[in-house]
Amino acid sequence: MQVSEVRRAMAAAVSTASALGLTADDAIVLHDSNKLTLRLLPCDALARVAPVADQVARFEVELAQRLNEAGCPVAALEPRVEPRVHERDGFVITLWTYYEPVTPREVPPADYAHALDRLHAGMRALDVPTPHFTDRVEQAQQLVANRDRTPALADADRELLGDTLRRMRRVISERGGAEQLLHGEPHPGNLLTTENGLLFIDLETCCRGPVEFDLAHAPEEVGEHYPGVDQDVLRQCRILVLAVITAWRWDRGDQLPNGRRLATEWLGQMRAALARESWS
């Protein structure tokens, strides 16, 4: 979120919580990206705040409710207020349960895989309209092709990224494997270690596709413990996901700390992964 908007967003969250009967005198920034994630005190609730024009909060709230009802390992909404989306001062605010982190922070790969398998099992029972994983790939392709949005991307790297996105999208789609509702980005940053066990957060990225696309966001060891995974498809999905997140880092508007350094590092990793891949 733009620095100029952060204070307004924090004030909007505090005012919203207070109007709902929660005691909120202060807010601590836990995460700042396209959304602002805040811990509200002393009520100890978690608020997610985004500009009205750039959010899918209603979808995320409804999906979180349904997944919680199905017993899936996802973070719950704040139980002391009505589960809905609130608007104030140009922002949308959703309120969630705050979970105190517990140690160890390192999640065993088998536990990670089991939690993701449980999430996928619950998602298979839901019929909700979501984008296809290839929609996200297409967005990355458009970004790479747009020199105005990615002016610092060298021509050779632009060609490599564009070719990789196009090729991996085609190869994975042609496999014709089973597809289902996915988290979309179940990386370690979207997995909480709590006293209630492992819980996934940030459901706004949900899409449809093969489970290997989700697994490609997790540490490599996780895929070794997930049941029934196609290791060939998983390798290809890892390359595809690496290409997508690398493309995002070259966006001139990207605000991720050290984003350009990561973009260069990930380009090297992508080249190495492509060199290891054998094509039939």
Side-chain angles (χ1 to χ4, degrees):
M1 187 175 290
Q2 297 293 330
V3 174
S4 60
E5 294 184 315
V6 170
R7 285 192 178 278
R8 286 180 48 242
M10 293 173 69
V14 169
S15 297
T16 297
S18 298
L20 293 169
L22 299 177
T23 306
D25 302 325
D26 194 13
I28 300 172
V29 177
L30 300 180
H31 186 67
D32 181 7
S33 57
N34 60 320
K35 275 186 172 66
L36 192 66
T37 303
L38 306 168
R39 181 184 182 183
L40 304 180
L41 296 171
C43 63
D44 231 7
L46 186 134
R48 301 190 74 203
V49 192
V52 167
D54 183 26
Q55 53 81 31
V56 288
R58 186 164 287 103
F59 167 79
E60 186 176 24
V61 166
E62 293 174 356
L63 185 58
Q65 286 181 276
R66 295 180 66 179
L67 290 172
N68 264 291
E69 290 169 0
C72 293
V74 296
L77 292 154
E78 168 55 59
R80 292 170 287 182
V81 300
E82 182 184 354
R84 68 179 184 88
V85 177
H86 308 273
E87 291 193 19
R88 185 180 291 264
D89 194 21
F91 297 99
V92 290
I93 301 103
T94 52
L95 297 171
W96 303 78
T97 298
Y98 173 76
Y99 297 94
E100 191 73 42
V102 299
T103 54
R105 298 186 65 85
E106 186 92 16
V107 178
D111 294 350
Y112 200 132
H114 179 62
L116 189 55
D117 186 31
R118 285 178 55 212
L119 177 62
H120 285 160
M123 286 182 155
R124 279 194 291 274
L126 300 183
D127 182 18
V128 294
T130 54
H132 196 257
F133 82 99
T134 54
D135 293 348
R136 190 175 307 172
V137 181
E138 184 175 350
Q139 291 170 359
Q141 289 177 280
Q142 293 173 355
L143 180 61
V144 170
N146 190 327
R147 293 179 181 273
D148 289 337
R149 291 185 61 190
T150 54
L153 185 58
D155 287 345
D157 294 335
R158 188 182 305 275
E159 183 178 359
L160 175 66
L161 268 176
D163 287 347
T164 301
L165 288 164
R166 182 168 51 254
R167 186 177 193 181
M168 289 300 157
R169 173 181 176 177
R170 174 179 55 80
V171 168
I172 295 166
S173 296
E174 288 178 352
R175 296 294 292 249
E179 296 188 348
Q180 69 157 81
L181 181 63
L182 304 174
H183 180 286
E185 291 184 5
H187 53 68
N190 282 335
L191 183 64
L192 302 179
T193 303
T194 76
E195 292 182 352
N196 295 355
L198 299 177
L199 299 175
F200 288 97
I201 60 173
D202 202 352
L203 300 171
E204 66 175 357
T205 56
C206 283
C207 59
R208 294 197 69 83
V211 294
E212 287 83 5
F213 183 78
D214 259 4
L215 279 164
H217 292 79
E220 288 193 19
E221 297 83 357
V222 175
E224 300 170 5
H225 296 273
Y226 191 97
V229 65
D230 186 322
Q231 293 295 336
D232 288 338
V233 174
L234 178 54
R235 284 199 312 275
Q236 293 156 3
C237 282
R238 288 196 186 283
I239 296 173
L240 178 63
V241 167
L242 192 56
V244 169
I245 62 175
T246 300
W248 291 341
R249 299 289 77 81
W250 288 103
D251 188 340
R252 67 187 305 167
D254 184 55
Q255 298 182 48
L256 187 72
N258 300 316
R260 196 52 51 83
R261 178 183 61 79
L262 287 172
T264 302
E265 179 182 319
W266 290 344
L267 275 171
Q269 292 179 14
M270 191 180 71
R271 285 193 177 90
L274 287 168
R276 291 192 300 269
E277 189 68 25
S278 59
W279 302 96
S280 55

